[in-house]
Amino acid sequence: MKRKLFSELLLHLIILLISYLLLMNEHLYIYVSMVSPILNPTLYIYISIVLFSYLLIDCFRKVPFYKMITIYMLFLLVTLFLRPINNNYMYNEIFYLNGWLKRLFLNKIIFLNIIGNIVLYIPLGYILLEKIKSKFKLGLISLVLIIVLEFIQFIIKVGVFDFIDILLNIIGVIIGMLVKGTRKNE
């Protein structure tokens, strides 16, 4: 038990060191500071790498559900809520996605918004499929969670309630379910 705890602690120290080293790249530091300007960029990268590591390790050997869901929820909370309050609400048309898709690879902000909203929820579908066997039930729970998170972002003024974001988030959940389902069948 002590050996396992020591190796887990060592792994986290190495990830923290890697996070610090990665942020020596000025472009990455600036980008991470924009994604989560309130949290220290080193901690944001650390949380991201731990989540990615757990997902990667889970492909080869089982990572406990509680570890995966805890680090993912921490990642979601940091990404969605540790942003400055924005009193300048911009309401977009519901069907702006069509225009955005035409400029997907021409505009970095549009690319990051669309792809980011999908990628952000891939782990949710992957992780929850472990406990919720019904894909319909998992989709419904994910939809409710996503709507609640969008609504909270709107209420505390760190985001806008956006139906396109919800659609993109659900696409991410479906991709996560498909990846986990493929892993289970191998």
Side-chain angles (χ1 to χ4, degrees), residues 144-172:
V144 169
L145 177 66
I146 290 166
I147 290 172
V148 166
L149 292 174
E150 282 285 314
F151 187 69
I152 292 171
Q153 282 182 298
F154 176 75
I155 294 296
I156 63 174
K157 298 181 180 179
V158 294
V160 176
F161 190 89
D162 188 352
F163 292 104
I164 299 299
D165 283 356
I166 294 169
L167 173 69
L168 296 170
N169 298 158
I170 288 297
I171 290 170

Side-chain angles (χ1 to χ4, degrees), residues 4-64:
K4 186 176 181 180
L5 183 63
F6 176 75
S7 64
E8 183 94 13
L9 181 61
L10 186 61
L11 173 69
H12 286 279
L13 286 173
I14 290 169
I15 291 173
L16 195 55
L17 177 64
I18 290 169
S19 303
Y20 178 75
L21 292 173
L22 282 172
L23 288 172
M24 289 180 147
N25 178 315
E26 186 178 339
H27 297 293
L28 182 62
Y29 186 87
I30 291 169
Y31 174 72
V32 172
S33 295
M34 288 187 323
V35 171
S36 184
I38 294 174
L39 186 68
N40 180 308
T42 306
L43 290 176
Y44 185 76
I45 291 290
Y46 166 76
I47 293 167
S48 303
I49 292 174
V50 170
L51 174 61
F52 180 75
S53 300
Y54 283 171
L55 291 169
L56 191 61
I57 291 168
D58 192 64
C59 291
F60 303 103
R61 72 174 223 276
K62 194 101 178 72
V63 174

